[in-house]
Amino acid sequence: MAAELSLDHAYKIRPKQSSLVNNLFTSTLNTAAKTLVSVSSNVRMEHPDKWRTGDHLRFMKMLMTWMSVWVLRFLMDHFPSVMAFSPHHLLLGRFSPFLRSNNNMNLRLPATSATSSGSSFDLLLQQDDFNGPSVQALGRALTHVLALLNEIPASSRKYQFAMAMADKIMDGNFRDGHVELMEVNRSALSSAFARTLSLLYRSLRNPHSPDDSGGGAWTARVMKVLPMGFYISTCVKGLKYCLKSVLQSVEKGTWQLERRPQLVYEGVVDDLVAEKFAQELLWITERLRAYGAVDEAMVQWSSATGLNSLSFSANPRVQGFIVKISAILLGDLSSHKIEVSGNVKFGLLALWVPLFCHANNGLSYPFLTSYEKMQVERAMDEVISTLAATEQEVILTNWLQDFSVCASDWPNLQQSYDRWCTYTRELAA
């Protein structure tokens, strides 16, 4: 103990080193000293002519500990700047798992920010000096809260708390009426829309599907090529998961359900996750409308080809949210207050009109009322009339093909089709 106290005193009197590095070096040095004493006593007690495996391992551990002491001492003496820690670096280490898991979110902050890419945590931690409150700080705070909504389970009571916090920040920015504060709402909601759209797409892709798991992917593809291969592949997968469940239950000594859901339950979990993201996307769309930035959602929604291809086979509730978002955007598209390019109009109609025809619009999930459907039909008719004749032909030809084979009577764009035919005859005359 006296030796340890003297070592502590000898290295604590060096004022040029930070307390964190000093404590780390001292604790490592004390551990190395204790390991040396332990190894020496154990070797003396055992036969000195032959070491056992445990003696070799203890000796190697002692050498590695002393090597760590030497490395720390060398860095402290010759590279003091490397060993200097700031509170921001400590925060970066604390949140680094979060940053690694969200490095592809493409969070976009206001245009007035000095940095145009990267997450809000990156922007926050890269600044060494803070000169008081700023618009960028509000943008980081709002982006952070909106990102948390994707992480918090919808069943948690903190989910509504985070949503209320986001509403409070956006309402305060909107009431002030400053252009920069309005841009904060627009940029944060636009990045949240893009991030949630990506999460919804990934959840609908069902990454837990057995066909996507590395080892059996190629065998499943080979089986499907063979005659009756689809049925054989399905039976093999069913037997595989049944056998796996039985073996795991026997190994545990109980027939209780295991913590990680299996194939049947993974589909349910994926549907719930996708429904959560779809509902959040609808909420963000409504906020974009409220703060006059719905054109941001229109641009992204008009190019969401991946989500469109997956939405036809999505769960009816998830499909209902997607239909409602599409109906809202197409309804607002007919407003003269919103200016978007012709490509955006064409993309919205080309992607989402087929889904309107084939979506589950039954009584189980009535996301649109009869009045809302009538309003959307009127809006689509107005938007189609603003497109070029060739673009109208593409939209209306695809609509007629889908409408003639689907069970739904909505949307009925016969008026738009007749008007296009009349216009084409006039050009030919």
Side-chain angles (χ1 to χ4, degrees), residues 323-410:
V323 167
K324 192 168 183 65
I325 293 171
S326 305
I328 289 174
L329 296 180
L330 285 171
D332 289 346
L333 196 59
S334 62
S335 175
H336 299 290
K337 298 180 181 179
I338 301 174
E339 296 182 1
V340 293
S341 65
N343 292 333
V344 173
K345 295 179 181 180
F346 179 80
L348 285 173
L349 290 168
L351 286 181
W352 304 110
V353 168
L355 179 63
F356 289 165
C357 296
H358 295 283
N360 189 330
N361 294 304
L363 299 177
S364 301
Y365 305 100
F367 274 85
L368 295 177
T369 63
S370 299
Y371 177 76
E372 289 174 336
K373 291 180 179 180
M374 182 180 62
Q375 292 293 105
V376 174
E377 278 185 0
R378 185 180 296 112
M380 285 191 291
D381 179 70
E382 294 179 5
V383 175
I384 291 174
S385 64
T386 63
L387 298 177
T390 54
E391 293 178 342
Q392 291 187 37
E393 179 184 1
V394 174
I395 297 297
L396 293 173
T397 302
N398 290 335
W399 163 79
L400 183 60
Q401 179 177 349
D402 294 322
F403 188 77
S404 60
V405 298
C406 71
S408 174
D409 294 330
W410 180 80

Coordinates of all heavy atoms in Angstrom, one line a residue, residues 323-410:
V323 N -51.5 5.0 -49.0 CA -52.5 5.5 -49.9 C -52.9 6.9 -49.4 O -53.1 7.9 -50.2 CB -53.7 4.6 -49.9 CG1 -55.0 5.3 -50.5 CG2 -53.4 3.3 -50.7
K324 N -53.1 7.1 -48.1 CA -53.5 8.4 -47.5 C -52.4 9.5 -47.8 O -52.8 10.6 -48.1 CB -53.7 8.3 -46.0 CG -54.5 9.5 -45.4 CD -55.0 9.2 -44.0 CE -55.7 10.4 -43.5 NZ -57.0 10.6 -44.3
I325 N -51.1 9.1 -47.6 CA -50.1 10.1 -47.9 C -50.2 10.5 -49.4 O -50.1 11.7 -49.8 CB -48.7 9.5 -47.6 CG1 -48.6 9.3 -46.1 CG2 -47.6 10.5 -48.1 CD1 -47.3 8.6 -45.7
S326 N -50.3 9.5 -50.3 CA -50.4 9.8 -51.7 C -51.6 10.7 -52.0 O -51.5 11.6 -52.9 CB -50.4 8.5 -52.5 OG -49.4 7.7 -52.2
A327 N -52.7 10.4 -51.4 CA -53.9 11.1 -51.6 C -53.8 12.6 -51.2 O -54.2 13.5 -51.8 CB -55.1 10.5 -50.9
I328 N -53.1 12.8 -50.0 CA -52.9 14.1 -49.5 C -52.0 14.9 -50.5 O -52.3 16.1 -50.8 CB -52.3 14.1 -48.1 CG1 -53.3 13.6 -47.1 CG2 -51.8 15.4 -47.7 CD1 -52.8 13.3 -45.7
L329 N -51.0 14.3 -50.9 CA -50.0 15.1 -51.8 C -50.7 15.4 -53.1 O -50.5 16.5 -53.7 CB -48.7 14.2 -52.0 CG -47.9 14.0 -50.7 CD1 -46.7 13.2 -51.0 CD2 -47.5 15.4 -50.0
L330 N -51.4 14.4 -53.7 CA -52.1 14.7 -55.0 C -53.2 15.7 -54.8 O -53.4 16.5 -55.7 CB -52.6 13.4 -55.5 CG -51.6 12.4 -56.1 CD1 -52.2 11.1 -56.5 CD2 -51.0 13.0 -57.4
G331 N -53.8 15.7 -53.7 CA -54.8 16.7 -53.4 C -54.3 18.1 -53.3 O -54.8 19.1 -53.8
D332 N -53.1 18.2 -52.6 CA -52.5 19.5 -52.5 C -51.8 20.0 -53.8 O -51.5 21.1 -54.0 CB -51.4 19.5 -51.4 CG -52.0 19.4 -50.0 OD1 -53.2 19.7 -49.9 OD2 -51.3 19.1 -49.1
L333 N -51.5 19.0 -54.7 CA -50.8 19.3 -55.9 C -51.7 20.2 -56.9 O -51.2 20.9 -57.7 CB -50.5 18.0 -56.7 CG -49.4 18.1 -57.8 CD1 -48.1 18.7 -57.3 CD2 -49.2 16.7 -58.4
S334 N -53.0 20.0 -56.7 CA -53.9 20.8 -57.6 C -54.1 22.3 -57.1 O -54.6 23.1 -57.8 CB -55.3 20.2 -57.6 OG -55.9 20.2 -56.3
S335 N -53.5 22.6 -55.9 CA -53.6 23.9 -55.4 C -52.6 24.8 -56.2 O -51.5 24.5 -56.5 CB -53.2 24.0 -53.9 OG -53.2 25.3 -53.4
H336 N -53.1 26.0 -56.5 CA -52.2 27.0 -57.2 C -51.2 27.6 -56.4 O -50.3 28.3 -56.9 CB -53.1 28.1 -57.8 CG -54.1 27.5 -58.8 ND1 -53.8 27.0 -60.0 CD2 -55.5 27.4 -58.7 CE1 -54.9 26.6 -60.7 NE2 -55.9 26.9 -59.9
K337 N -51.2 27.4 -55.0 CA -50.2 28.0 -54.1 C -48.9 27.2 -54.2 O -47.9 27.7 -53.7 CB -50.8 28.0 -52.7 CG -52.0 28.9 -52.6 CD -52.5 28.9 -51.1 CE -53.7 29.7 -51.0 NZ -54.3 29.7 -49.6
I338 N -49.0 25.9 -54.6 CA -47.8 25.1 -54.6 C -47.2 25.0 -56.0 O -48.0 24.6 -57.0 CB -48.1 23.7 -54.1 CG1 -48.7 23.8 -52.6 CG2 -46.9 22.8 -54.1 CD1 -49.2 22.5 -52.1
E339 N -46.0 25.3 -56.2 CA -45.3 25.2 -57.5 C -44.3 24.1 -57.5 O -43.3 24.2 -56.7 CB -44.7 26.6 -57.8 CG -45.7 27.7 -58.0 CD -45.0 29.0 -58.3 OE1 -43.8 29.0 -58.5 OE2 -45.7 30.0 -58.5
V340 N -44.5 23.1 -58.3 CA -43.5 22.0 -58.5 C -43.3 21.8 -60.0 O -44.2 22.3 -60.8 CB -44.0 20.7 -57.8 CG1 -44.0 20.9 -56.3 CG2 -45.3 20.3 -58.3
S341 N -42.3 21.1 -60.3 CA -42.0 20.9 -61.8 C -43.0 19.8 -62.3 O -43.6 19.1 -61.6 CB -40.6 20.4 -61.9 OG -40.4 19.1 -61.3
G342 N -43.0 19.8 -63.7 CA -43.8 18.8 -64.3 C -43.4 17.4 -64.1 O -44.2 16.5 -64.1
N343 N -42.1 17.2 -63.9 CA -41.6 15.8 -63.6 C -42.1 15.3 -62.2 O -42.4 14.1 -62.1 CB -40.1 15.9 -63.5 CG -39.5 16.1 -64.9 OD1 -40.1 15.8 -65.9 ND2 -38.2 16.6 -64.9
V344 N -42.3 16.2 -61.3 CA -42.8 15.8 -60.0 C -44.3 15.4 -60.1 O -44.7 14.4 -59.6 CB -42.6 17.0 -59.0 CG1 -43.4 16.6 -57.6 CG2 -41.2 17.2 -58.7
K345 N -45.0 16.2 -60.9 CA -46.5 15.9 -61.1 C -46.6 14.5 -61.8 O -47.4 13.7 -61.4 CB -47.1 17.0 -61.9 CG -47.2 18.3 -61.3 CD -47.8 19.4 -62.2 CE -47.9 20.7 -61.5 NZ -48.5 21.8 -62.4
F346 N -45.8 14.4 -62.8 CA -45.9 13.1 -63.6 C -45.5 11.9 -62.7 O -46.1 10.8 -62.7 CB -45.0 13.2 -64.8 CG -45.0 11.9 -65.6 CD1 -46.0 11.6 -66.5 CD2 -43.9 11.0 -65.5 CE1 -46.0 10.5 -67.3 CE2 -43.9 9.9 -66.3 CZ -44.9 9.6 -67.1
G347 N -44.4 12.1 -61.9 CA -44.0 11.0 -61.0 C -45.0 10.6 -60.0 O -45.2 9.4 -59.7
L348 N -45.6 11.6 -59.4 CA -46.7 11.3 -58.4 C -47.8 10.5 -59.0 O -48.3 9.6 -58.4 CB -47.2 12.6 -57.8 CG -46.3 13.3 -56.8 CD1 -46.8 14.7 -56.3 CD2 -46.1 12.4 -55.5
L349 N -48.3 10.9 -60.2 CA -49.4 10.2 -60.8 C -49.0 8.9 -61.3 O -49.7 7.9 -61.1 CB -49.9 11.1 -62.0 CG -50.7 12.4 -61.6 CD1 -50.9 13.3 -62.8 CD2 -52.0 12.0 -60.9
A350 N -47.8 8.8 -61.9 CA -47.4 7.5 -62.5 C -47.1 6.4 -61.4 O -47.4 5.2 -61.7 CB -46.1 7.7 -63.4
L351 N -46.6 6.8 -60.3 CA -46.3 5.9 -59.3 C -47.5 5.5 -58.4 O -47.6 4.3 -58.1 CB -45.2 6.5 -58.3 CG -43.8 6.6 -58.8 CD1 -42.9 7.2 -57.8 CD2 -43.3 5.2 -59.3
W352 N -48.4 6.4 -58.1 CA -49.3 6.1 -57.0 C -50.8 5.9 -57.5 O -51.6 5.4 -56.8 CB -49.3 7.2 -56.0 CG -47.9 7.4 -55.4 CD1 -47.1 8.4 -55.6 CD2 -47.2 6.4 -54.6 NE1 -45.9 8.2 -55.0 CE2 -45.9 7.0 -54.3 CE3 -47.5 5.2 -54.1 CZ2 -45.0 6.3 -53.6 CZ3 -46.6 4.5 -53.3 CH2 -45.3 5.1 -53.1
V353 N -51.1 6.3 -58.8 CA -52.4 6.0 -59.3 C -52.6 4.5 -59.4 O -53.7 4.0 -59.0 CB -52.6 6.7 -60.6 CG1 -53.9 6.1 -61.3 CG2 -52.8 8.2 -60.4
P354 N -51.7 3.7 -59.9 CA -51.9 2.2 -59.8 C -52.1 1.6 -58.5 O -52.9 0.7 -58.3 CB -50.6 1.6 -60.5 CG -50.1 2.7 -61.3 CD -50.4 4.0 -60.6
L355 N -51.5 2.2 -57.4 CA -51.7 1.7 -56.1 C -53.1 2.0 -55.6 O -53.7 1.2 -54.9 CB -50.7 2.3 -55.1 CG -50.8 1.9 -53.7 CD1 -50.6 0.4 -53.5 CD2 -49.9 2.7 -52.8
F356 N -53.7 3.2 -56.0 CA -55.0 3.5 -55.7 C -56.0 2.4 -56.2 O -57.0 2.0 -55.6 CB -55.4 4.8 -56.3 CG -54.8 6.0 -55.6 CD1 -54.8 7.2 -56.2 CD2 -54.2 5.9 -54.4 CE1 -54.2 8.3 -55.6 CE2 -53.6 6.9 -53.7 CZ -53.6 8.2 -54.4
C357 N -55.7 1.9 -57.4 CA -56.6 0.9 -58.0 C -56.5 -0.5 -57.3 O -57.5 -1.2 -57.1 CB -56.2 0.7 -59.5 SG -56.5 2.2 -60.5
H358 N -55.3 -0.9 -56.9 CA -55.1 -2.2 -56.4 C -55.0 -2.3 -54.9 O -54.9 -3.4 -54.3 CB -53.8 -2.8 -57.0 CG -53.8 -3.0 -58.5 ND1 -54.5 -4.1 -59.0 CD2 -53.3 -2.3 -59.5 CE1 -54.3 -4.0 -60.4 NE2 -53.6 -2.9 -60.7
A359 N -55.0 -1.2 -54.2 CA -54.9 -1.2 -52.7 C -56.1 -1.8 -52.1 O -57.2 -1.8 -52.7 CB -54.6 0.2 -52.2
N360 N -56.0 -2.3 -50.9 CA -57.1 -2.8 -50.1 C -57.9 -1.6 -49.6 O -57.6 -1.0 -48.6 CB -56.6 -3.7 -49.0 CG -57.7 -4.5 -48.3 OD1 -58.8 -4.0 -48.3 ND2 -57.3 -5.6 -47.8
N361 N -59.0 -1.3 -50.3 CA -59.9 -0.2 -49.9 C -61.2 -0.8 -49.3 O -62.2 -0.1 -49.5 CB -60.2 0.7 -51.1 CG -58.9 1.4 -51.6 OD1 -58.2 2.1 -50.8 ND2 -58.6 1.2 -52.8
G362 N -61.1 -1.9 -48.7 CA -62.3 -2.5 -48.1 C -62.8 -1.8 -46.8 O -62.3 -0.8 -46.4
L363 N -63.8 -2.4 -46.2 CA -64.4 -1.8 -45.0 C -63.4 -2.0 -43.8 O -63.6 -1.3 -42.8 CB -65.7 -2.5 -44.7 CG -66.8 -2.2 -45.8 CD1 -68.1 -3.0 -45.4 CD2 -67.1 -0.8 -46.0
S364 N -62.5 -2.9 -43.8 CA -61.6 -3.2 -42.7 C -60.7 -2.0 -42.4 O -60.4 -1.7 -41.3 CB -60.8 -4.5 -42.9 OG -61.7 -5.6 -43.1
Y365 N -60.2 -1.4 -43.5 CA -59.3 -0.3 -43.3 C -59.7 0.9 -44.1 O -59.2 1.2 -45.2 CB -57.9 -0.7 -43.7 CG -57.4 -1.9 -43.0 CD1 -57.5 -3.2 -43.6 CD2 -56.9 -1.9 -41.7 CE1 -57.1 -4.3 -42.9 CE2 -56.5 -3.0 -41.0 CZ -56.6 -4.2 -41.6 OH -56.2 -5.4 -41.0
P366 N -60.8 1.6 -43.7 CA -61.3 2.8 -44.5 C -60.5 4.0 -44.2 O -60.9 4.9 -43.4 CB -62.7 2.9 -44.0 CG -62.6 2.4 -42.5 CD -61.6 1.4 -42.5
F367 N -59.3 4.2 -44.9 CA -58.5 5.3 -44.6 C -59.0 6.6 -45.4 O -58.7 7.7 -45.0 CB -57.1 5.0 -45.1 CG -56.2 4.3 -44.1 CD1 -56.3 3.0 -43.9 CD2 -55.4 5.1 -43.2 CE1 -55.5 2.3 -43.0 CE2 -54.7 4.4 -42.2 CZ -54.7 3.1 -42.1
L368 N -59.8 6.4 -46.4 CA -60.4 7.5 -47.1 C -61.9 7.4 -47.2 O -62.4 6.3 -47.5 CB -59.8 7.5 -48.6 CG -58.3 7.8 -48.8 CD1 -58.0 7.7 -50.2 CD2 -57.9 9.1 -48.2
T369 N -62.6 8.4 -46.9 CA -64.0 8.5 -46.9 C -64.4 8.7 -48.4 O -63.6 9.0 -49.3 CB -64.6 9.6 -46.0 OG1 -64.1 10.8 -46.5 CG2 -64.1 9.4 -44.6
S370 N -65.7 8.5 -48.6 CA -66.3 8.7 -50.0 C -66.0 10.2 -50.4 O -65.7 10.4 -51.6 CB -67.7 8.4 -50.0 OG -68.0 7.0 -49.7
Y371 N -66.2 11.1 -49.5 CA -65.9 12.5 -49.9 C -64.5 12.8 -50.2 O -64.1 13.5 -51.2 CB -66.4 13.4 -48.7 CG -66.1 14.9 -49.0 CD1 -66.9 15.6 -49.9 CD2 -65.1 15.5 -48.4 CE1 -66.7 16.9 -50.1 CE2 -64.8 16.9 -48.6 CZ -65.6 17.6 -49.5 OH -65.4 18.9 -49.7
E372 N -63.6 12.1 -49.4 CA -62.1 12.3 -49.7 C -61.7 11.7 -51.0 O -60.9 12.3 -51.8 CB -61.3 11.7 -48.6 CG -61.4 12.5 -47.3 CD -60.7 11.7 -46.1 OE1 -60.5 10.5 -46.2 OE2 -60.3 12.4 -45.2
K373 N -62.3 10.5 -51.4 CA -62.0 9.9 -52.7 C -62.5 10.8 -53.8 O -61.8 10.9 -54.8 CB -62.7 8.6 -52.7 CG -62.1 7.5 -51.8 CD -62.8 6.2 -52.0 CE -62.2 5.1 -51.1 NZ -62.9 3.8 -51.2
M374 N -63.7 11.4 -53.6 CA -64.2 12.3 -54.7 C -63.3 13.5 -54.8 O -63.0 14.0 -56.0 CB -65.6 12.8 -54.3 CG -66.3 13.6 -55.4 SD -67.9 14.1 -54.9 CE -67.6 15.0 -53.4
Q375 N -62.8 14.1 -53.7 CA -61.9 15.2 -53.8 C -60.5 14.9 -54.5 O -60.0 15.6 -55.3 CB -61.6 15.7 -52.4 CG -62.8 16.4 -51.7 CD -63.2 17.7 -52.4 OE1 -64.2 17.7 -53.1 NE2 -62.4 18.7 -52.2
V376 N -60.0 13.7 -54.2 CA -58.8 13.2 -54.8 C -59.0 13.0 -56.3 O -58.1 13.4 -57.1 CB -58.3 12.0 -54.1 CG1 -57.0 11.4 -54.8 CG2 -57.9 12.3 -52.6
E377 N -60.1 12.4 -56.7 CA -60.4 12.3 -58.1 C -60.4 13.6 -58.8 O -59.8 13.8 -59.9 CB -61.7 11.6 -58.3 CG -61.6 10.1 -58.2 CD -63.0 9.4 -58.5 OE1 -63.9 10.1 -58.8 OE2 -63.1 8.2 -58.4
R378 N -61.0 14.6 -58.2 CA -61.1 15.9 -58.8 C -59.7 16.6 -58.9 O -59.4 17.2 -59.9 CB -62.0 16.8 -58.0 CG -62.3 18.2 -58.6 CD -63.2 19.1 -57.8 NE -64.5 18.5 -57.8 CZ -65.1 18.0 -56.7 NH1 -64.4 18.0 -55.5 NH2 -66.3 17.5 -56.7
A379 N -58.9 16.4 -57.9 CA -57.5 16.9 -57.9 C -56.7 16.2 -59.0 O -55.9 16.9 -59.7 CB -56.9 16.7 -56.5
M380 N -56.8 14.9 -59.1 CA -56.0 14.2 -60.1 C -56.5 14.7 -61.5 O -55.6 14.8 -62.4 CB -56.2 12.7 -60.0 CG -55.4 12.1 -58.8 SD -55.4 10.3 -58.8 CE -57.1 9.9 -58.4
D381 N -57.7 14.9 -61.7 CA -58.2 15.4 -63.0 C -57.6 16.7 -63.4 O -57.2 17.0 -64.5 CB -59.7 15.4 -63.0 CG -60.3 15.9 -64.3 OD1 -60.2 15.2 -65.3 OD2 -60.8 17.1 -64.4
E382 N -57.5 17.6 -62.4 CA -56.9 18.9 -62.6 C -55.4 18.8 -62.9 O -54.9 19.5 -63.8 CB -57.2 19.8 -61.4 CG -58.6 20.2 -61.2 CD -58.8 21.0 -59.9 OE1 -57.8 21.4 -59.4 OE2 -60.0 21.3 -59.6
V383 N -54.7 18.0 -62.2 CA -53.3 17.8 -62.4 C -53.0 17.2 -63.7 O -52.1 17.6 -64.5 CB -52.7 17.0 -61.3 CG1 -51.2 16.8 -61.5 CG2 -52.8 17.7 -59.9
I384 N -53.8 16.2 -64.1 CA -53.6 15.5 -65.4 C -53.8 16.5 -66.6 O -53.1 16.5 -67.6 CB -54.5 14.3 -65.6 CG1 -54.1 13.2 -64.6 CG2 -54.5 13.8 -67.0 CD1 -55.0 12.0 -64.6
S385 N -54.7 17.4 -66.4 CA -55.0 18.4 -67.5 C -53.8 19.4 -67.7 O -53.7 20.0 -68.7 CB -56.3 19.2 -67.1 OG -56.1 20.0 -66.0
T386 N -52.9 19.5 -66.7 CA -51.8 20.4 -66.8 C -50.6 19.7 -67.5 O -49.6 20.4 -67.8 CB -51.4 21.0 -65.5 OG1 -51.0 19.9 -64.6 CG2 -52.5 21.7 -64.8
L387 N -50.6 18.4 -67.7 CA -49.5 17.7 -68.3 C -49.5 17.8 -69.8 O -50.5 18.1 -70.4 CB -49.5 16.3 -67.8 CG -49.4 16.0 -66.3 CD1 -49.5 14.5 -66.0 CD2 -48.1 16.5 -65.8
A388 N -48.4 17.5 -70.4 CA -48.3 17.4 -71.8 C -49.1 16.2 -72.3 O -49.4 15.3 -71.6 CB -46.8 17.2 -72.3
A389 N -49.5 16.2 -73.6 CA -50.4 15.2 -74.2 C -49.7 13.8 -74.1 O -50.4 12.8 -73.8 CB -50.7 15.6 -75.6
T390 N -48.4 13.7 -74.3 CA -47.8 12.4 -74.2 C -47.8 11.9 -72.8 O -47.9 10.7 -72.6 CB -46.3 12.5 -74.8 OG1 -45.6 13.6 -74.1 CG2 -46.4 12.8 -76.3
E391 N -47.6 12.8 -71.8 CA -47.6 12.3 -70.4 C -49.0 11.9 -70.0 O -49.1 11.0 -69.3 CB -47.0 13.5 -69.6 CG -45.5 13.8 -69.8 CD -45.1 14.9 -68.9 OE1 -45.9 15.7 -68.5 OE2 -43.8 15.1 -68.8
Q392 N -50.0 12.6 -70.5 CA -51.4 12.2 -70.2 C -51.6 10.8 -70.8 O -52.3 10.0 -70.1 CB -52.3 13.3 -70.8 CG -52.3 14.6 -70.1 CD -53.4 15.5 -70.6 OE1 -54.5 15.1 -70.9 NE2 -53.1 16.8 -70.7
E393 N -51.1 10.6 -71.9 CA -51.4 9.3 -72.6 C -50.8 8.2 -71.7 O -51.4 7.1 -71.5 CB -50.7 9.2 -73.9 CG -50.9 7.9 -74.6 CD -50.2 7.8 -76.0 OE1 -49.6 8.9 -76.4 OE2 -50.3 6.8 -76.7
V394 N -49.6 8.3 -71.2 CA -49.0 7.3 -70.3 C -49.8 7.1 -69.1 O -50.1 6.0 -68.7 CB -47.5 7.7 -70.0 CG1 -46.9 6.8 -69.0 CG2 -46.7 7.8 -71.2
I395 N -50.1 8.2 -68.4 CA -50.9 8.1 -67.1 C -52.2 7.4 -67.3 O -52.6 6.5 -66.6 CB -51.1 9.5 -66.5 CG1 -49.7 10.1 -66.1 CG2 -51.9 9.4 -65.2 CD1 -48.9 9.4 -65.1
L396 N -53.0 7.9 -68.3 CA -54.3 7.4 -68.5 C -54.3 6.0 -69.1 O -55.2 5.2 -68.8 CB -55.1 8.3 -69.5 CG -55.3 9.7 -68.8 CD1 -55.9 10.7 -69.9 CD2 -56.2 9.6 -67.6
T397 N -53.4 5.6 -69.9 CA -53.3 4.2 -70.5 C -53.0 3.3 -69.3 O -53.6 2.2 -69.2 CB -52.2 4.1 -71.5 OG1 -52.5 5.1 -72.6 CG2 -52.1 2.7 -72.1
N398 N -52.1 3.6 -68.5 CA -51.8 2.7 -67.3 C -53.0 2.6 -66.4 O -53.3 1.6 -65.8 CB -50.6 3.2 -66.6 CG -49.3 3.0 -67.4 OD1 -49.2 2.2 -68.2 ND2 -48.3 3.9 -67.1
W399 N -53.6 3.8 -66.2 CA -54.8 3.8 -65.3 C -55.9 2.8 -65.8 O -56.5 2.1 -65.1 CB -55.4 5.2 -65.2 CG -56.8 5.2 -64.6 CD1 -57.2 5.0 -63.3 CD2 -58.0 5.2 -65.4 NE1 -58.6 5.0 -63.3 CE2 -59.1 5.1 -64.5 CE3 -58.2 5.4 -66.8 CZ2 -60.4 5.2 -65.0 CZ3 -59.6 5.5 -67.2 CH2 -60.6 5.3 -66.3
L400 N -56.2 2.9 -67.1 CA -57.2 2.1 -67.7 C -56.9 0.6 -67.6 O -57.8 -0.2 -67.3 CB -57.4 2.5 -69.2 CG -58.6 1.8 -69.9 CD1 -59.9 2.0 -69.3 CD2 -58.6 2.2 -71.4
Q401 N -55.6 0.3 -67.8 CA -55.3 -1.1 -67.7 C -55.4 -1.6 -66.3 O -56.0 -2.7 -66.0 CB -53.8 -1.3 -68.1 CG -53.3 -2.7 -68.0 CD -51.9 -2.8 -68.5 OE1 -51.3 -1.9 -69.1 NE2 -51.2 -4.0 -68.2
D402 N -55.0 -0.8 -65.3 CA -55.2 -1.2 -63.9 C -56.6 -1.2 -63.4 O -57.1 -2.1 -62.7 CB -54.4 -0.3 -63.0 CG -52.9 -0.5 -63.2 OD1 -52.4 -1.6 -63.4 OD2 -52.2 0.5 -63.1
F403 N -57.4 -0.2 -63.9 CA -58.8 0.0 -63.4 C -59.7 -1.1 -64.0 O -60.6 -1.5 -63.3 CB -59.3 1.3 -63.9 CG -60.6 1.7 -63.3 CD1 -60.8 2.1 -62.0 CD2 -61.7 1.6 -64.1 CE1 -62.0 2.4 -61.5 CE2 -63.0 2.0 -63.6 CZ -63.1 2.4 -62.3
S404 N -59.3 -1.6 -65.1 CA -60.2 -2.7 -65.8 C -60.0 -4.0 -65.1 O -60.9 -4.9 -65.3 CB -59.8 -2.8 -67.3 OG -58.5 -3.1 -67.5
V405 N -58.9 -4.3 -64.4 CA -58.7 -5.6 -63.8 C -58.8 -5.6 -62.3 O -58.9 -6.7 -61.7 CB -57.3 -6.1 -64.2 CG1 -57.2 -6.3 -65.7 CG2 -56.2 -5.2 -63.7
C406 N -58.9 -4.4 -61.7 CA -59.0 -4.4 -60.2 C -60.4 -4.5 -59.8 O -61.4 -4.2 -60.5 CB -58.3 -3.2 -59.7 SG -59.2 -1.6 -60.0
A407 N -60.6 -4.8 -58.5 CA -62.0 -4.9 -57.9 C -62.5 -3.6 -57.5 O -63.7 -3.5 -57.3 CB -62.0 -5.9 -56.8
S408 N -61.7 -2.6 -57.3 CA -62.1 -1.3 -56.8 C -62.7 -0.4 -58.0 O -62.3 -0.6 -59.1 CB -61.0 -0.6 -56.1 OG -61.3 0.7 -55.8
D409 N -63.6 0.4 -57.6 CA -64.2 1.4 -58.6 C -63.6 2.8 -58.4 O -64.1 3.8 -59.0 CB -65.7 1.5 -58.4 CG -66.4 0.2 -58.8 OD1 -65.9 -0.5 -59.7 OD2 -67.5 -0.1 -58.2
W410 N -62.5 2.8 -57.7 CA -61.8 4.1 -57.5 C -60.3 4.0 -57.7 O -59.7 2.9 -57.4 CB -62.0 4.5 -56.0 CG -61.4 5.9 -55.7 CD1 -61.8 7.1 -55.9 CD2 -60.1 6.0 -55.0 NE1 -61.0 8.1 -55.5 CE2 -59.9 7.4 -54.9 CE3 -59.1 5.2 -54.5 CZ2 -58.7 8.0 -54.3 CZ3 -58.0 5.7 -53.9 CH2 -57.8 7.1 -53.8

